Amino acid sequence: MGRVVVDVMPKPEILDPQGKAVAGALPRLGFNGFVSVRQGKRFELEVEGEVTPEVLENARKAAETVLSNPVIEDVVSVKDASGEVA
Amino acid sequence: MSPIASARIGVITFPGTLDDRDAARAVRLAGAEAVSLWHADADLHGVDAVVLPGGFSYGDYLRAGAISRFAPVMEKVVDAAAGGMPVLGICNGFQVLTEAHLLPGSMIKNDHRSFICREQTLVVENTATAWTGDYTQGQEIIIPLKNQDGQYVADERTLDELEGEGRVAFRYQGWNPNGSRRNIAGITNERGNVVGLMPHPEHAVEAGFGVDNGTDLRGGIDGLGFFTSVLSSLVNA
């Protein structure tokens, strides 16, 4: 099985309330030194067989049309992650 | 039968929609027939207008409204909207309309990061839409607001365009409850037939079950105007 990983992040200029909440919680738990946190999304798309250039292209299209909303988010990477341990 | 009484207004139910019954009730109180539409419907059952009610369609998975936007019925809504049919998106329905690109911008989590539920004052800034004709320009109305992802965002160019073209239909008055850009509570498309807003007009349509209007704790029915407005616009169309 091949696997494509898509990473989506909130646009830098968009306030990320979730990241802000996490950033606020860290020092309360003793994790100091992290000055900001942004929270994004990781999608793992599995395919039968290998991740071909067509599969990657298809994943890229899915990332742009469904997995992200270009008004508020950026697709930061679409990559073949078949070799990585799940 | 008058043309108003014969108007049929569809109310779409997606899996996870919460306010479809209230929206249908508002339609009936305004004097029209409410037609239930299901997200998987392949057509709009010949309705004259459509309401996308609030709730958490598909659990807000992925993004609020993101999955509903691909429901079969939405294809028909997009086509009908292009043909001029009045479409109203309330709360989650507004989110669906932005995801479907019928309205610009998007909604993210409230800036204060909490769910909020309150009776909210809005200013009606555009009375030329299909859903606002029964209000007066600058009228203040009070209707409930309840959301988690209610912060309206768009890039500066889009916001300037909306303002320049008078497409900010409603603005929060007194206090911005979710951090929305430029206090925007609701917007319209260029043609004025598609309107979306975060607050809930359908919850303030019947005396005794409305909002606090200063003299009566449950007497405020400022939301009814949305549903009577669309009937007038259908008659005049």
Side-chain angles (χ1 to χ4, degrees), chain A residues 13-18 20-21 41 43 65-73, chain B residues 62-63 66 69-70 99 105-111 113 151 153-155 181:
Chain A
E13 67 270 25
I14 298 275
L15 171 78
D16 170 20
Q18 293 181 100
K20 223 171 129 191
K41 293 174 186 153
F43 299 89
T65 51
V66 190
L67 305 183
S68 72
N69 177 344
V71 177
I72 50 172
E73 295 166 321
Chain B
L62 191 58
R63 295 175 303 279
R69 165 244 198 287
F70 295 100
E99 285 284 343
S106 184
M107 253 69 63
I108 63 170
K109 232 163 262 314
N110 297 340
D111 59 348
R113 308 192 298 261
Q151 181 180 177
V153 297
D155 59 40
R181 297 294 179 277

Side-chain angles (χ1 to χ4, degrees), chain B residues 211-230:
Chain B
V211 301
D212 187 355
N213 63 1
T215 54
D216 184 341
L217 197 59
R218 292 281 169 260
I221 56 165
D222 288 348
L224 189 61
F226 282 76
F227 303 93
T228 54
S229 294
V230 74

Side-chain angles (χ1 to χ4, degrees), chain B residues 143-208:
Chain B
I143 57 177
L145 169 88
K146 43 170 198 168
N147 64 66
Q148 169 92 25
D149 288 10
Q151 181 180 177
Y152 180 74
V153 297
D155 59 40
E156 289 298 311
R157 196 175 54 85
T158 304
L159 293 170
D160 288 342
E161 248 174 53
L162 286 172
E163 304 252 21
E165 295 168 7
R167 290 167 53 197
V168 175
F170 310 95
R171 229 184 279 263
Y172 296 116
Q173 173 76 356
W175 184 60
N176 184 337
N178 44 33
S180 289
R181 297 294 179 277
R182 305 192 191 182
N183 301 326
I184 291 172
I187 57 174
T188 177
N189 64 348
E190 282 159 47
R191 194 167 174 174
N193 62 312
V194 180
V195 170
L197 80 166
M198 273 328 273
H200 290 261
E202 82 282 17
H203 293 329
V205 293
E206 186 178 5

Side-chain angles (χ1 to χ4, degrees), chain B residues 9-79:
Chain B
I9 301 187
V11 176
I12 302 178
T13 301
F14 299 94
T17 294
L18 300 178
D19 298 321
D20 40 352
R21 282 170 184 253
D22 279 40
R25 178 170 149 270
V27 165
R28 286 192 294 269
L29 284 166
E33 182 190 342
V35 178
S36 293
L37 300 175
W38 181 234
H39 73 115
D41 284 353
D43 68 85
L44 296 179
H45 301 253
V47 297
D48 303 301
V50 174
V51 178
L52 283 74
F56 292 86
S57 59
Y58 295 92
D60 272 357
Y61 295 160
L62 191 58
R63 295 175 303 279
I67 298 179
S68 307
R69 165 244 198 287
F70 295 100
V73 78
M74 280 309 296
E75 253 178 64
K76 302 299 169 191
V77 170
V78 170
D79 288 348

Side-chain angles (χ1 to χ4, degrees), chain A:
Chain A
M1 291 264 251
R3 190 152 47 104
V4 178
V5 168
V6 176
D7 287 316
V8 173
M9 290 297 289
K11 279 188 187 296
E13 67 270 25
I14 298 275
L15 171 78
D16 170 20
Q18 293 181 100
K20 223 171 129 191
V22 176
L26 288 174
R28 285 202 293 277
L29 298 170
F31 298 105
N32 298 305
F34 301 108
V35 293
S36 93
V37 178
R38 296 184 73 73
Q39 180 180 325
K41 293 174 186 153
R42 171 186 165 109
F43 299 89
E44 300 188 348
L45 311 176
E46 286 201 335
V47 289
E48 303 278 359
E50 279 181 34
V51 175
T52 60
E54 291 73 44
V55 167
L56 265 184
E57 186 47 38
N58 213 10
R60 232 171 254 127
K61 265 189 208 140
E64 299 292 344
T65 51
V66 190
L67 305 183
S68 72
N69 177 344
V71 177
I72 50 172
E73 295 166 321
D74 291 323
V75 178
V76 292
S77 87
V78 178
K79 61 178 188 214
D80 180 357
S82 306
E84 290 176 20
V85 180

